[in-house]
Amino acid sequence: MQRNIFVLMIFSIILAACGGDNDQGGNASQVEQNRPAQNRLQVPALLDSRTMSDIELVLQKGDHEFYPGVASETMGFNGDYLGPTIRLYDDTDTTITFTNNIGEPTTVHGHGLHVPGEIDGGPQAVIQDGESWQITIPVRQEAGVSWYHPHYMGKTAHHVHAGLAGLYFIEDANSQALDLPKTYGVNDIPLVVQDRSFTDGKMNEYAVTMDQIMNGLREDTLIVNGTVDAYHEVPQGWVRLRLVNGSNARFYRFHFGDDVPFFKIATEGGFLNRPVELTTLDMAPGERNEIMIDLSAGANMTLWADLLSADPEDGASWNQNLPRVNVVELRVNETIPASGTLPENLNDIAYFDRSEATQTRNIVLSMEVNGNNDQALDHEGHEGHGGETAGHMSLFGINGQPMDMGLINDRINKGEVELWQITGERMPHPFHIHGASFQIITLNGEPVSEADRGWKDTVVVWDEVTEILVRFDYEATEEFPYMYHCHMFEHEEYGMMGQFTVE
Ligand SMILES: [Cu+2]
């Protein structure tokens, strides 16, 4: 605890020195957004890997109109903002070609995919401007929602913020057999939730103050699939929402207001065994969840998000009087055919047992680095391993060690179950692991609830221990290692990331 107070003092000093701008830095009470849902939800195009032999995605600059008649400078895949949803099938290899036309190097990571390090798209897999990167994804995993986005050292936050992100919908024999709503964009709806800020209708380009680096960039306007103030027409029946928190750092509490029940059916890497009834659902950056809501009574329903602040110890803004914003208003249109229902059983997860673990690893997401910030500060702009930039200065780390592309933090044996005990300093951090899905045993010191007993690849860790069991089934070499990191992009960019091999 004393250490936390010390860290907070240091932050205050840095803040004072930098004249940190607090406007968007997590003071949630300043954020209000009570406008009517007035824009039809944009639904990303769907590319089906079974009907398309070549899937090509071009990373390009765009002029996206969040507000009619006002173009913002954005980036997208095959369009102005975000990218198509790609439907992948378990047991079906799919080739995708990414062509980089954004004018600078980047990478495309497959977040949630169980693939070898070589095609994971981490910081080493650089696609130079004007070049293409072709990968064949050997899809061997359960149905779920994964997503693709840049993972380039020093520019991940910029590139995702500009709009470079898209979804993979993975289907398997189980998902195809279940009688779920599955008409894309009609009753099976992707919702990529992000926060942005605007000046006269134009999106503010990515820029962060020291305060926003510390707390993560939290902006005041919610956008869903690139749509501000969204509504969507849905059938009078069950509706399935595939929620993706694609924000840089914002945590949300989703709900339908007035304790209206809904059902969580899936986490990142697959279905839960059975639907879990909830009235609220918290989601951190990088997390995906599928929920279902019954609209058969015919009334319109609005999905709301309460904007959570950075510091939960500031109880007033973490749990009370939170600003509530519209995510999407679901407008029932009885002329749209309804289909699918809520199955009683969804999955039969093979749970790991902690007695299987061959190795225990302790991981701390550190808000301070190896005792020597002066040295770390000199790292800005320094040319790192492989001739690629090492990114920003190192303020944060994993176990006190800031991200270093020339350093392998952990070496892991392929095919063995491991127990990872993870904590995060000062605030909740969404911890993401590449290359595999994992299972949570304890979540911030508490036994995991049924709603979180599914396949995960991102979990919020904090001051009490979170224990997970994980097994990596694919190889990641020193040349193309996997990453683990905080998925608040500002923390990741400033050092809260590490690399590991699987062999
Ligand atoms: Cu973090």
Side-chain angles (χ1 to χ4, degrees), residues 290-351:
E290 295 185 36
I291 61 171
M292 284 179 58
I293 176 97
D294 183 6
L295 297 182
S296 58
N300 296 344
M301 201 81 84
T302 296
L303 176 65
W304 302 97
D306 295 345
L307 304 181
L308 301 176
S309 77
D311 185 359
E313 285 177 358
D314 174 13
S317 55
W318 179 251
N319 269 324
Q320 300 157 33
N321 304 319
L322 295 166
R324 169 174 300 190
V325 299
N326 170 73
V327 178
V328 61
E329 183 186 321
L330 301 173
R331 296 182 183 169
V332 176
N333 179 341
E334 68 277 4
T335 67
I336 302 172
S339 60
T341 186
L342 182 72
E344 216 173 297
N345 294 298
L346 296 161
N347 204 354
D348 184 13
I349 298 172
Y351 287 109

Side-chain angles (χ1 to χ4, degrees), residues 107 121-126 151-153 388 403 405 483 497 499:
T107 78
Q124 285 80 1
V126 177
H151 212 303
Y152 184 61
M153 282 291 285
E388 300 304 333
M403 169 67 178
M405 282 181 77
M483 305 294 130
M497 177 154 67
Q499 314 191 104

Side-chain angles (χ1 to χ4, degrees), residues 365 428-430 486 488 491 496:
L365 278 63
H429 303 264
C486 179
M488 286 164 63
H491 287 182
M496 200 178 281

Side-chain angles (χ1 to χ4, degrees), residues 132-283:
S132 293
W133 185 60
Q134 187 176 73
I135 56 170
T136 296
I137 303 171
V139 186
R140 304 286 183 276
Q141 65 187 89
E142 289 187 21
V145 177
S146 291
W147 60 306
Y148 54 92
H149 66 74
H151 212 303
Y152 184 61
M153 282 291 285
K155 280 297 181 83
T156 300
H158 290 76
H159 290 167
V160 179
H161 190 273
L164 289 177
L167 306 182
Y168 292 120
F169 277 15
I170 301 166
E171 306 296 344
D172 65 3
N174 180 36
S175 71
Q176 290 175 288
L178 288 167
D179 182 27
L180 287 161
K182 45 181 88 159
T183 308
Y184 181 79
V186 176
N187 60 13
D188 180 6
I189 305 161
L191 297 175
V192 179
V193 181
Q194 299 174 310
D195 56 335
R196 296 290 183 266
S197 58
F198 294 86
T199 303
D200 299 327
K202 194 172 176 185
M203 186 179 89
N204 295 330
E205 283 184 43
Y206 183 78
V208 281
T209 62
M210 185 56 74
D211 179 54
Q212 290 162 338
I213 293 168
M214 291 297 163
N215 289 313
L217 176 65
R218 291 163 202 244
E219 297 178 277
D220 61 5
T221 302
L222 202 79
I223 60 172
V224 183
N225 302 345
T227 319
V228 181
D229 306 327
Y231 72 86
H232 193 62
E233 290 193 356
V234 293
Q236 186 172 351
W238 282 99
V239 173
R240 175 183 181 187
L241 303 174
R242 310 226 199 184
L243 283 165
V244 177
N245 185 345
S247 308
N248 276 49
R250 174 73 77 180
F251 291 49
Y252 303 98
R253 176 162 300 154
F254 293 105
H255 59 90
F256 290 92
D258 298 329
D259 293 329
V260 171
F262 60 92
F263 295 87
K264 177 170 166 178
I265 61 167
T267 49
E268 287 96 58
F271 289 110
L272 295 167
N273 280 348
R274 279 168 291 282
V276 175
E277 187 176 324
L278 300 172
T279 53
T280 64
L281 172 65
D282 288 5
M283 284 180 67

Side-chain angles (χ1 to χ4, degrees), residues 33-66:
Q33 185 183 332
N34 277 314
R35 296 186 301 264
Q38 52 197 315
N39 298 311
R40 186 179 291 274
L41 177 75
Q42 293 164 44
V43 177
L46 180 69
L47 306 182
D48 193 303
S49 63
R50 284 206 171 150
T51 55
M52 299 181 65
S53 53
D54 292 304
I55 294 179
E56 293 189 25
L57 294 181
V58 179
L59 294 76
Q60 58 194 60
K61 291 183 175 174
D63 300 299
H64 186 69
E65 291 189 11
F66 295 94

